[in-house]
Amino acid sequence: MKDSITPSSDAIIIGAGPAGLTAAYELLKQTGIHPVVLEATDAIGGISQTLEYKGNRMDIGGHRFFSKNKEVMAWWHKMMPIQGKPAFDDILLHRTNKAFEPGGPDPQTADRVMLYRQRVSRIFFLRKFFDYPISLKPDTFTNMGLLRTIKAGMGYLASQVHKHPENSLENFYINRFGKTLYQLFFEGYTEKVWGVHPSNLGADWGSQRVKGVSISAVIKDMFTRTFSLKRDPEEVETSLIGQFLYPKYGPGQLWEIVADEILTASGEIHKESEVKKIRIENNRVVSVSYQREGQLMQQPCSYLLSSMPLKDLVESIEGIAVPEEIKQIASALPYRDFITVGLLIRKLKIKNRTKINTFQNRVPDTWIYIQERDVKIGRLQVFNNWSPYLVKEYETTMWIGLEYFCTEGDEMWEMDREEFIRMAIDELVKIDIIDKEDVLDATQAKIKKAYPSYFGSYYELDKVRDFLDQIENLYCIGRNGQHRYNNMDHSMLTAMEAVKNIKEGKTSKENIWAVNTEEDYHESKKNG
């Protein structure tokens, strides 16, 4: 039976991240339904927020704006127009608006623009740089050494003759790169990220995040680039893209713009409003109770679109009996948490050995994967290279982010803030990336449930999904809302599909869950 949509209908949206804000915006534009967004924190954008510290901006996790989905690309362009297409070094060498478009952009919109960025991400291993994805350049083999190179070649050939059953992430990687390359470039880093050995992780993560990346894909991409052949963007794996878009002041800038659009169109966004209870009657959500400014408030609704962790969603349900099995599966769903240390420094010790011209010969990387096993750091972001406007004193300082993956309550998570910052600085000194005397300032940020994990009760997630899908007006969207390690564009697409279902009175939610699993939604990216 088709729901009756009226201008007075309310939709509660849990979470002001990409999925939640996209849902609120699309509901206003397509249906006239009044959205009420409830955000537990005081920030807009979820993990896609931009933190500010003394005039320096920090991108949590790093967000490249690129999608194979044309609807998402058009959506971003509508929110933030693209200003020109300058060379990478032009943006880095000149912090003026004229660097983005001949003659300069409209002064009224000079700050509300997307920048073209050149993708440079490398692996730091054996105190040397390797391309990511692994390339077949002479430097790769030189850095690996003769013996490792021979073993890698033999391992790859063996992987093409004998395929392992893809019942683990370890086997997924071995089938595409061979055992030696897997052990060198994937095993240790993956264990840092997830806290679990790849042999105990499901292949699902690889199929969603790096599904199209392999030695054969690297060879094809290298051949295409070498001979300047035209490439169909829809056929290029995201990990192999050469350029991407990026908001001038970080990803949070875009989501703050979206939030302003929602408020201007009479939508509601309530920060520091933590959902406590979700009331179900006659198989429908009828109200949501949330805590705000110390008071418990209740909001009736016609629809509920939830991007809150499934673990918390199931726990908050009342009014119907939740089977014990569903409770147990949901409560045991694993997550990985995230700590970033922002360091303001004079300079990096590592130098630019690439052919890219950069300011003061700084390295051109947006982020660097730290594969060294004698340190805990997983990735290093260089915010100067995402956008020079993220750095208050771009010409004289570098602003970097040291990323650590942990689990809430573990040793790293519980470590004293100042002690953690000292540890992070010492690690970069240890692997010869900085000198301690060049550190000018530091801060720390923690993000809970940043990454849904693919082990444990995850493999019984379908039972939780089937139970929740029976609640007619409940739609699970976004990364945590589906317990799926989606990229930003995929999270947006789940929201768009949910809104289409509401608009069309569609009862099946299969299309929402199909995002990033069906061929139409395929995309790959190592991270965030």
Side-chain angles (χ1 to χ4, degrees):
M1 181 177 177
K2 191 169 182 176
D3 291 321
S4 174
I5 298 175
T6 66
S8 61
S9 296
D10 280 346
I12 292 181
I13 299 166
I14 304 176
L21 293 177
T22 300
Y25 182 87
E26 291 300 313
L27 282 170
L28 284 166
K29 296 299 179 181
Q30 293 192 45
T31 69
I33 291 174
H34 179 242
V36 179
V37 180
L38 302 177
E39 168 57 44
T41 72
D42 64 351
I44 293 293
I47 197 173
S48 299
Q49 65 186 273
T50 302
L51 299 179
E52 186 170 351
Y53 177 73
K54 297 182 181 179
N56 297 297
R57 293 174 172 84
M58 188 159 55
D59 182 348
I60 302 296
H63 291 82
R64 299 181 183 129
F65 284 70
F66 172 84
S67 177
K68 291 184 178 182
N69 184 278
K70 294 178 181 178
E71 184 178 5
V72 171
M73 290 296 287
W75 203 94
W76 285 335
H77 294 175
K78 178 173 62 176
M79 294 297 169
M80 298 188 75
I82 303 168
Q83 291 293 344
K85 191 174 181 180
F88 180 62
D89 55 317
D90 286 343
I91 293 178
L92 294 181
L93 291 170
H94 305 288
R95 284 191 61 185
T96 66
N97 287 331
K98 290 187 178 182
F100 306 117
E101 183 177 290
D106 181 349
Q108 299 300 316
T109 59
D111 284 337
R112 187 171 168 168
V113 294
M114 287 271 200
L115 314 180
Y116 272 100
R117 314 308 288 132
Q118 184 164 332
R119 175 200 162 277
V120 184
S121 297
R122 292 180 292 172
I123 295 169
F124 192 73
F125 179 55
L126 304 172
R127 305 314 198 246
K128 299 172 184 176
F129 278 110
F130 294 82
D131 289 341
Y132 178 80
I134 294 299
S135 71
L136 302 182
K137 296 176 182 177
D139 284 350
T140 300
F141 305 121
T142 300
N143 289 345
M144 284 174 61
L146 180 61
L147 183 60
R148 287 193 189 93
T149 299
I150 293 172
K151 289 179 67 177
M154 296 297 291
Y156 175 68
L157 291 175
S159 73
Q160 301 310 294
V161 175
H162 173 67
K163 293 291 185 183
H164 294 267
E166 292 200 350
N167 53 8
S168 70
L169 187 58
E170 179 175 64
N171 286 349
F172 176 92
Y173 279 130
I174 291 174
N175 283 345
R176 285 156 181 77
F177 294 94
K179 190 169 184 178
T180 299
L181 284 175
Y182 153 72
Q183 290 175 332
L184 286 173
F185 295 109
F186 296 97
E187 185 178 29
Y189 180 79
T190 302
E191 193 163 6
K192 276 186 185 181
V193 173
W194 297 109
V196 175
H197 191 268
S199 61
N200 297 316
L201 282 167
D204 308 49
W205 184 83
S207 66
Q208 284 181 234
R209 302 293 290 189
V210 290
K211 53 181 158 275
V213 179
S214 63
I215 291 293
S216 58
V218 169
I219 293 172
K220 180 180 177 182
D221 182 73
M222 182 179 67
F223 182 84
T224 304
R225 290 177 187 273
T226 300
F227 295 98
S228 301
L229 301 178
K230 186 175 181 181
R231 302 189 299 171
D232 184 347
E234 294 187 4
E235 295 180 0
V236 179
E237 295 305 326
T238 307
S239 290
L240 302 175
I241 62 168
Q243 288 186 321
F244 59 93
L245 298 173
Y246 194 75
K248 185 174 177 178
Y249 292 107
Q253 182 188 14
L254 179 135
W255 296 111
E256 287 159 9
I257 288 171
V258 175
D260 288 342
E261 294 277 347
I262 292 167
L263 294 173
T264 300
S266 300
E268 297 180 43
I269 300 175
H270 301 294
K271 299 179 186 177
E272 297 183 311
S273 299
E274 184 178 1
V275 170
K276 296 296 185 180
K277 294 294 179 183
I278 297 171
R279 181 75 184 174
I280 312 294
E281 293 180 6
N282 299 320
N283 230 29
R284 294 179 63 86
V285 180
V286 294
S287 67
V288 172
S289 298
Y290 61 98
Q291 190 164 338
R292 183 181 172 200
E293 297 180 349
Q295 294 187 331
L296 191 64
M297 309 177 76
Q298 188 178 63
Q299 175 80 37
C301 64
S302 300
Y303 306 93
L304 176 62
L305 293 85
S306 172
S307 67
M308 73 189 296
L310 286 177
K311 182 176 185 175
D312 300 331
L313 175 65
V314 171
E315 186 180 351
S316 68
I317 289 176
E318 65 176 14
I320 59 171
V322 180
E324 195 60 34
E325 182 185 27
I326 301 302
K327 289 181 181 178
Q328 290 177 359
I329 294 170
S331 66
L333 283 172
Y335 297 85
R336 205 63 171 141
D337 305 290
F338 188 79
I339 301 175
T340 294
V341 171
L343 284 188
L344 187 67
I345 60 175
R346 292 186 181 91
K347 63 182 184 298
L348 294 169
K349 287 181 69 175
I350 48 178
K351 300 299 181 184
N352 180 18
R353 309 296 183 195
T354 72
K355 295 180 181 179
I356 298 174
N357 184 26
T358 60
F359 183 74
Q360 295 181 350
N361 205 35
R362 295 168 175 170
V363 293
D365 306 72
T366 47
W367 65 51
I368 299 167
Y369 298 100
I370 307 295
Q371 303 280 55
E372 306 291 17
R373 300 194 182 200
D374 56 345
V375 290
K376 296 176 181 178
I377 180 176
R379 273 189 327 210
L380 176 68
Q381 287 203 73
V382 184
F383 297 119
N384 298 60
N385 296 340
W386 285 99
S387 167
Y389 294 91
L390 297 182
V391 189
K392 183 179 180 181
E393 301 293 341
Y394 171 80
E395 292 82 2
T396 57
T397 65
M398 296 191 72
W399 176 234
I400 60 176
L402 291 66
E403 299 182 346
Y404 291 83
F405 309 98
C406 57
T407 299
E408 186 179 355
D410 70 10
E411 182 182 358
M412 277 204 288
W413 186 265
E414 296 298 327
M415 190 181 294
D416 174 76
R417 179 181 180 276
E418 296 304 319
E419 182 184 354
F420 195 101
I421 289 173
R422 284 195 299 270
M423 177 202 72
I425 293 170
D426 289 342
E427 287 202 333
L428 285 196
V429 171
K430 181 178 182 178
I431 59 178
D432 298 319
I433 287 182
I434 65 169
D435 285 323
K436 185 175 289 188
E437 56 267 28
D438 284 328
V439 176
L440 302 172
D441 203 352
T443 188
Q444 183 202 62
K446 292 182 174 182
I447 302 293
K448 294 181 181 180
K449 295 183 175 66
Y451 304 125
S453 296
Y454 287 55
F455 61 92
S457 69
Y458 163 79
Y459 289 104
E460 297 183 275
L461 184 60
D462 282 350
K463 295 178 182 178
V464 177
R465 171 188 161 179
D466 291 343
F467 170 76
L468 294 173
D469 279 355
Q470 294 173 25
I471 303 172
E472 297 174 7
N473 59 343
L474 169 63
Y475 303 87
C476 295
I477 60 175
R479 176 181 283 192
N480 277 332
Q482 295 191 337
H483 200 86
R484 184 175 291 156
Y485 194 177
N486 282 330
N487 294 324
M488 181 166 53
D489 60 334
H490 296 136
S491 292
M492 294 172 62
L493 283 167
T494 62
M496 291 175 177
E497 291 296 318
V499 172
K500 288 176 186 176
N501 284 12
I502 291 171
K503 181 181 179 181
E504 298 170 4
K506 188 175 179 179
T507 56
S508 171
K509 296 161 187 172
E510 185 65 33
N511 57 317
I512 304 171
W513 291 97
V515 172
N516 198 26
T517 60
E518 298 299 328
E519 191 64 32
D520 288 347
Y521 302 106
H522 273 185
E523 184 197 25
S524 66
K525 185 162 74 171
K526 183 166 183 175
N527 194 5

